[in-house]
Amino acid sequence: MRYVSSRGASASVSFEEAIGSGYAADGGLYVPETLPPITADDLEAWKNLDFPALAVEVLRPFVAGEIPDVDLETLLAACYGDFLAPEKIPVVPLATAPRVAVAELFHGPTFCFKDLGLQVLVRFLSYFAAKRGERRTILVATTGDTGPAALRAAADVDDASLRVVCCFPEGQVSALQRRQMTTHGSSSVRVATFEGGGDDMDEPIRRMGLDNAFASAHGLCGANSYNVGRPLAQMVHYVWIWLRCRDSFGAGAAPFVLDVVVPTGAMGNLAAATLAKRRGLPLGAICAGTNANDISCRAINDGDFSRAPEMKKTLSDAINIQRPYNFERVFYYATGGDASKTGAAMAAGDFRVDPATRGALRDGGYRAARVDDGAMLAALRAFRDAHGYVCDPHTAVAVAAADELGYAPYGGPAAEPRPVAILATAHPCKFQAAVTEALGADAWAAYEASAAFPEAARELAGRAEVAPLALSRRAGESLGAAQRRWETVLRAVLEDPDGLHYVESVCHLDDGDDDDPAADEPPAVADSSCAIL
């Protein structure tokens, strides 16, 4: 299998090269050159496989010639070994909401769906690094879930050739998510906070990744969902969910078609659904539930792909995204794989989706709903009241979206005739503030004390945290200027093998503003002795 850029200006590459670089050289996102079909016979043959065995079947065509079957089986078996549910992803039909199921993607070691992609991606990166005798540095910008999942995957691999640089927005992740990143105790990890919106670190990481000399010198690769390894790995859970929902809802002569509703930030899960559907998995509507940071909703419903003036703080922090990477892949496939059209649109930054592509999105089953915090909290309460099911705020966004789109997730008659799976992407244990606001302090206390609360999450509260490197945003400083300064600091960290002398490297940075002497001062760090960990 070869991989090509969504923008068409880069040569095709191998799977190893695609996941090892993240972005294509022309700034586009890699997509498979072909999408091997999933047939009805395949689905019948796969129906009784366990999750790791299903993953082998789904992913084999995409690594053919680069990872032998015996190695692929070993790698994927290890990926899911620490999942708490025996079936890895329980798919729970709701007794009082006919033809609605919840797919629980949060039983991995960091309690979120990102484990499903990152355990696979990090193990693939380690596999190829070992074959080449090379070091790899994984760059991660996280809105709360990707970072912990990447750190845990790297720890599980326990490969001295891997290190991780993880950045998260200060004050925009939950307390448990923060502790997952600041209590790891690994010398191969560097953690930083930045003062900005959830995806404001994406541009510095993109620039470092596209600097060929720098990226090659440090073995840089990205682990966010622009890396094609993530949506490829996440195809597996759509096949699994479809098979389990067919078991529950599929009686009848007509071919079984399933709709899905997905909490949506960077659109990685939607890209995975897109790949699975285009391979032939019988998915109907692919529905995005966004919070108040609603660019995905606006793009799908109105053709408006434009960054909002500012990031809105929400209780569903992990989907606080202003420019979703994977809309590029969704757009590319909606154009019929027109790389020239995709490249021109993405180069424009903010743009209106043209009528033909909007029509293709509509015909492809893409739908979306915007859910603000008030509607999310109401959905969390209503879902608990209807089913005794406590979900996290991101899943509650999907529940509210499902209700708005006609699937009747609380029970009663549904306007939409097809069965639907609501993807539960994170465990409620990670979001005390949102669950407490929705259900009250007594309900949270009872839940935290119950057997439903994971012991590993409870244990995190007692661990000592290590202060991360703090990347500030100065008064009056433009986002672009802050991003350039943050990038310079991170480059200095990567240049120092031990990561201990970064302050000397950045104390006299010149950001080009000669009229502002304060602009050349180093970033504020709470404790420089441990800020680099």
Side-chain angles (χ1 to χ4, degrees):
M1 177 67 72
R2 302 291 289 178
Y3 292 80
V4 297
S5 170
S6 56
R7 302 186 187 184
S10 296
S12 68
V13 300
S14 67
F15 176 73
E16 178 184 356
E17 291 168 321
I19 66 168
S21 56
Y23 287 105
D26 60 3
L29 305 188
Y30 283 117
V31 294
E33 193 168 46
T34 61
L35 290 175
I38 293 173
T39 67
D41 288 343
D42 289 330
L43 293 170
E44 192 62 24
W46 297 346
K47 66 181 181 181
N48 294 321
L49 296 179
D50 64 15
F51 196 88
L54 178 65
V56 171
E57 298 299 327
V58 173
L59 294 177
R60 178 185 287 119
F62 299 96
V63 301
E66 298 184 65
I67 303 179
D69 274 6
V70 63
D71 292 346
L72 183 63
E73 291 166 7
T74 300
L75 285 167
L76 292 175
C79 288
Y80 311 112
D82 286 338
F83 278 58
L84 297 178
E87 65 270 58
K88 315 309 177 189
I89 299 177
V91 179
V92 183
L94 300 174
T96 55
R99 299 173 74 77
V100 178
V102 176
E104 297 182 347
L105 277 59
F106 54 70
H107 291 281
T110 68
F111 316 119
C112 75
F113 84 98
K114 303 294 178 73
D115 292 318
L116 292 159
L118 282 159
Q119 285 284 334
V120 176
L121 175 60
V122 170
R123 288 177 192 275
F124 282 167
L125 290 169
S126 175
Y127 175 84
F128 288 120
K131 284 184 67 174
R132 307 291 178 200
E134 298 173 346
R135 293 192 67 187
R136 279 285 180 194
T137 300
I138 300 172
L139 297 177
V140 181
T142 183
T143 52
D145 284 332
T146 299
L151 295 178
R152 174 58 188 260
D156 288 347
V157 170
D158 193 22
D159 181 348
S161 69
L162 290 182
R163 62 175 176 170
V164 182
V165 176
C166 176
C167 305
F168 66 91
E170 178 64 34
Q172 296 194 44
V173 302
S174 75
L176 190 144
Q177 288 171 320
R178 186 193 70 245
R179 286 195 293 269
Q180 287 179 314
M181 292 181 277
T182 58
T183 62
H184 53 81
S186 171
S187 61
S188 64
V189 168
R190 312 288 187 262
V191 176
T193 64
F194 58 94
E195 191 177 338
D199 50 5
D200 285 349
M201 188 57 74
D202 292 349
E203 183 60 19
I205 286 179
R206 188 186 74 85
R207 286 197 295 255
M208 286 188 283
L210 291 174
D211 180 341
N212 291 334
F214 186 79
S216 178
H218 298 287
L220 298 187
C221 59
N224 290 87
S225 59
Y226 58 80
N227 190 311
V228 70
R230 287 272 303 278
L232 288 177
Q234 289 166 211
M235 277 193 302
V236 179
H237 61 246
Y238 283 100
V239 179
W240 177 267
I241 291 164
W242 186 91
L243 290 167
R244 302 291 76 80
C245 285
R246 186 181 65 170
D247 292 343
S248 298
F249 305 132
F256 181 69
V257 179
L258 179 70
D259 293 355
V260 292
V261 184
V262 186
T264 299
M267 296 183 79
N269 240 342
L270 258 68
T274 298
L275 294 172
K277 183 174 181 176
R278 287 186 166 268
R279 291 187 68 189
L281 184 69
L283 297 178
I286 300 174
C287 305
T290 73
N291 61 21
N293 299 294
D294 61 352
I295 184 172
S296 298
C297 181
R298 288 185 282 112
I300 290 170
N301 289 348
D302 305 318
D304 175 17
F305 189 76
S306 63
R307 184 185 177 99
E310 63 181 5
M311 178 78 73
K312 296 180 174 68
K313 181 76 171 72
T314 75
L315 290 167
S316 51
D317 306 83
I319 54 174
N320 283 352
I321 296 294
Q322 290 184 283
R323 193 172 294 282
Y325 323 106
N326 282 285
F327 185 67
E328 180 159 347
R329 287 191 175 104
V330 172
F331 185 95
Y332 171 84
Y333 284 112
T335 66
D338 188 333
S340 177
K341 185 174 182 178
T342 302
M346 297 302 153
D350 294 349
F351 65 94
R352 297 288 306 180
V353 179
D354 64 279
T357 305
R358 285 187 65 187
L361 289 170
R362 182 180 59 252
D363 295 345
Y366 295 94
R367 305 176 69 197
R370 179 187 189 276
V371 178
D372 63 20
D373 274 354
M376 179 277 291
L377 292 168
L380 204 158
R381 285 190 295 271
F383 210 57
R384 189 275 311 267
D385 294 344
H387 308 298
Y389 191 112
V390 176
C391 63
D392 86 290
H394 308 85
T395 304
V397 167
V399 169
D403 187 51
E404 181 174 331
L405 295 171
Y407 294 102
Y410 312 120
E416 288 296 328
R418 284 193 297 262
V420 64
I422 297 171
L423 272 59
T425 51
H427 200 293
C429 73
K430 302 181 79 168
F431 301 100
Q432 179 177 355
V435 175
T436 299
E437 186 162 341
L439 304 181
D442 289 346
W444 172 263
Y447 167 64
E448 191 175 27
S450 73
F453 197 93
E455 187 58 37
R458 190 177 289 114
E459 186 267 336
L460 266 176
R463 290 191 194 174
E465 295 186 69
V466 180
L469 169 64
L471 301 175
S472 64
R473 178 90 174 265
R474 295 166 181 157
E477 185 177 36
S478 70
L479 175 60
Q483 288 173 322
R484 288 190 295 274
R485 188 162 49 80
W486 300 343
E487 179 185 348
T488 304
V489 175
L490 292 177
R491 284 174 179 264
V493 169
L494 291 170
E495 291 285 5
D496 184 343
D498 299 316
L500 297 176
H501 306 297
Y502 71 94
V503 173
E504 295 175 7
S505 302
V506 302
C507 273
H508 300 291
L509 297 181
D510 185 349
D511 68 355
D513 187 352
D514 294 328
D515 296 326
D516 182 9
D520 295 335
E521 295 184 11
V525 180
D527 181 350
S528 62
S529 66
C530 58
I532 287 300
L533 303 180

